[in-house]
């Protein structure tokens, strides 16, 4: 049933122009997606409201847009060259390879030995292979000895795959420089920490926001745009005084901020939850970390992460670049390397969850109940009859006027019922119909997607009316 739901969403996205498979006419390119005319509007809306809420409306935040191609030393300093990896184990039965976190084994991974270590066979337990219907059969290190001699410890060596996507820069074939397409947008912010301090009037606590593309050599891309190899992130690095336990207050503040933000953007509260990272599951940089998860058709899945990165990044960049990354408090004279509370969300992943959450069917018809802030088109305009020039003229004038403020759709095909259905399917919250009465009273019918209620609104009031409804 849930697979069925994903199939329906994937089909709807292709049919109506939200999301197409990447490079489709050449047989595709795994883990890449192209956003169609409706998809790009929706994605832009997500980014726009995100930016407005975290940069424009706040006094403690500025934004930047750093380069995608960074000096490769950045990734050495950040630890990504050494530690940005996925670990896979292979099932002996079906030969399928799966990430250790997919099997719930990441907590047994010892980064020093790079081995999965269990105290006993019981601790490893029986694991069902995601390949389907059978027990996962692992290759154990020294297995014959272990079984034969009754050894208690069980060890598995996973295969390591670095997620950074290499690229080669330069014109001379034999002198190309190895760089990496950024695996996260975070580092572009940290390396500009001093620039922002020196060129603006920010004072701790403050944040730097960024939205942009990231690239990862994901081994198992899947679940539509959930895990892609090229995707966009929206992130805040929020710099605070390195003080405990005050730092936890900011960490809690951002956790709650984002939970409310997604709920206010239309995601049903019961489909959201926090999931703290346990010791051993955290990224190499994180002191404490939590995910906001969404109840996806395939189970709870990470929406975004809130990570207390401590002073890991700034200290490492200070060490590797030789440049000071310290903050000086001009009132107290104190100098310190700030802590960073990071909020990191995926744009493509968010868009997918907004689509899933909004998807509903009523009497066999699809209604995409997207929040009006997120919906691709805010309003559609129809002349009641396409062959009545007097109606078309008035409707077209309304269409042109509203376009100055909103993304507006035009439809004059078929009957009104069919047009409503077509707009419901793509989540347009309001439909305006110009009828013969409109020619006399200069009013139109506005129909609400979710309640299907209709009301008459003066043509001159339409812009204000829609602003009120959407915002
Ligand atoms: P996951 O555990 O799902 O691989 P992650 O913990 O590696 O994610 P982060 O490195 O914390 O993810 O990245 C922050 C956010 O970026 C994620 O919460 C997600 O929204 C987004 N993101 C990460 N990887 C991908 C991807 N491959 N495709 C789409 N979005 C992604």
């Amino acid at each position: 049933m849930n697979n069925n739901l994903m199939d329906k969403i994937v089909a709807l996205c292709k049919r109506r122009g939200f999301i197409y498979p990447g490079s489709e006419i050449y047989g595709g390119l795994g883990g890449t997606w192209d956003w169609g005319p409706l998809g790009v509007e929706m994605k832009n809306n997500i980014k726009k409201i995100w930016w407005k809420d975290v940069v424009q409306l706040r006094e403690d935040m500025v934004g930047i847009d750093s380069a995608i191609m960074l000096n490769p030393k950045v990734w050495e300093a950040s630890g990504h060259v050494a530690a940005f990896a996925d670990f896979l184990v292979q099932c002996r039965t079906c030969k399928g390879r799966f990430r250790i976190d997919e099997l719930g084994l990441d907590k047994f991974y010892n980064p020093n030995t790079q081995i999965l270590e269990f105290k006993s066979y019981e601790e490893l337990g029986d694991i069902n292979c995601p390949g389907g219907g059978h027990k996962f059969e692992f290759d154990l290190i020294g297995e014959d000895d272990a079984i034969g001699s009754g050894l208690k410890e069980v060890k598995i060596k996973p295969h390591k795959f670095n997620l950074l996507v290499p690229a080669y820069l330069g014109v001379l074939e034999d002198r190309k420089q190895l760089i990496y397409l950024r695996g996260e947008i975070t580092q572009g912010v940290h390396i500009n920490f001093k620039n922002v301090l020196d060129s603006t009037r920010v004072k701790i606590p403050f944040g730097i926001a960024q939205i942009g593309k990231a690239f990862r050599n994901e081994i198992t891309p899947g679940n539509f745009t959930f895990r892609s190899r090229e995707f966009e992130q929206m992130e805040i690095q929020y710099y605070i005084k390195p003080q405990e336990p005050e730092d936890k207050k900011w960490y809690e503040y951002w956790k709650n901020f984002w939970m409310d933000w997604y709920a206010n953007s239309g995601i049903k509260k019961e489909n959201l939850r926090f999931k703290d990272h346990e010791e051993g599951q955290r990224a190499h940089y994180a002191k404490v970390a939590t995910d906001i998860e969404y109840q996806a058709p395939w189970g709870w899945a990470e929406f975004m992460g809130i990570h207390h990165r401590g002073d890991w990044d700034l200290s490492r960049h200070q060490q590797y670049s030789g440049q000071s990354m310290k903050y000086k408090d001009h009132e107290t004279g104190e100098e310190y390397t700030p802590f960073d509370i990071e909020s990191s969300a995926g744009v493509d992943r968010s868009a997918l969850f907004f689509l899933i959450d909004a998807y509903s069917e009523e009497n066999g018809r699809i209604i995409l109940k997207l929040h009006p802030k997120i919906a691709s088109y805010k309003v559609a305009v129809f002349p009641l009859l396409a062959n009545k020039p007097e109606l078309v003229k008035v409707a077209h004038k309304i269409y042109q006027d509203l376009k100055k403020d909103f993304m507006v759709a035009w439809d004059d095909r078929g009957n009104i019922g069919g047009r409503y259905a077509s707009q419901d399917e793509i989540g347009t919250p309001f439909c305006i119909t110009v009828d013969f009465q409109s020619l006399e009273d200069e009013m139109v019918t506005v129909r609400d997607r979710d309640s299907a209620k209709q009301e008459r609104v003066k043509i001159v009031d339409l812009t204000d009316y829609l602003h009120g409804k959407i915002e």
Side-chain angles (χ1 to χ4, degrees), residues 159-295:
H159 303 278
K160 182 178 176 185
F161 289 84
N162 195 293
L163 296 175
L164 286 176
V165 178
Y168 296 91
L169 198 63
V171 280
L172 294 175
E173 274 307 319
D174 55 344
R175 296 221 196 125
K176 284 193 189 299
Q177 185 190 13
L178 168 67
I179 61 162
Y180 300 99
L181 299 183
R182 60 185 177 189
E184 60 174 24
I185 62 171
T186 321
Q187 299 309 324
V189 171
H190 291 307
I191 60 173
N192 281 294
F193 175 71
K194 269 280 164 184
N195 280 335
V196 172
L197 274 188
D198 294 345
S199 57
T200 70
R201 288 189 290 161
V202 289
K203 279 195 192 134
I204 283 210
F206 74 92
I208 305 179
Q210 175 164 232
I211 298 179
K213 288 262 184 178
F215 305 83
R216 292 184 189 177
N217 246 329
E218 296 281 3
I219 302 137
T220 51
N223 289 325
F224 205 13
T225 67
F226 175 77
R227 190 174 304 288
S228 313
R229 292 192 167 122
E230 174 178 342
F231 54 96
E232 270 182 297
Q233 292 185 308
M234 329 184 257
E235 289 196 347
I236 295 171
Q237 308 306 320
Y238 198 79
Y239 298 105
I240 58 172
K241 210 168 166 179
Q243 237 176 3
E244 291 169 355
E246 286 81 356
D247 55 342
K248 301 292 179 318
K249 281 194 208 146
W250 279 113
Y251 174 65
E252 290 300 322
Y253 167 87
W254 284 112
K255 277 172 62 175
N256 295 326
F257 180 94
W258 290 115
M259 189 56 105
D260 292 346
W261 192 83
Y262 279 109
N264 291 335
S265 306
I267 300 280
K268 295 177 200 82
K269 274 202 171 140
E270 65 270 24
N271 288 337
L272 293 169
R273 73 170 189 194
F274 289 118
K275 175 86 189 302
D276 292 336
H277 292 207
E278 289 169 31
E279 189 96 42
Q281 289 181 314
R282 278 176 221 143
H284 58 275
Y285 48 75
K287 270 164 120 55
V288 279
T290 202
D291 293 335
I292 293 182
E293 291 190 331
Y294 178 72
Q295 191 161 27

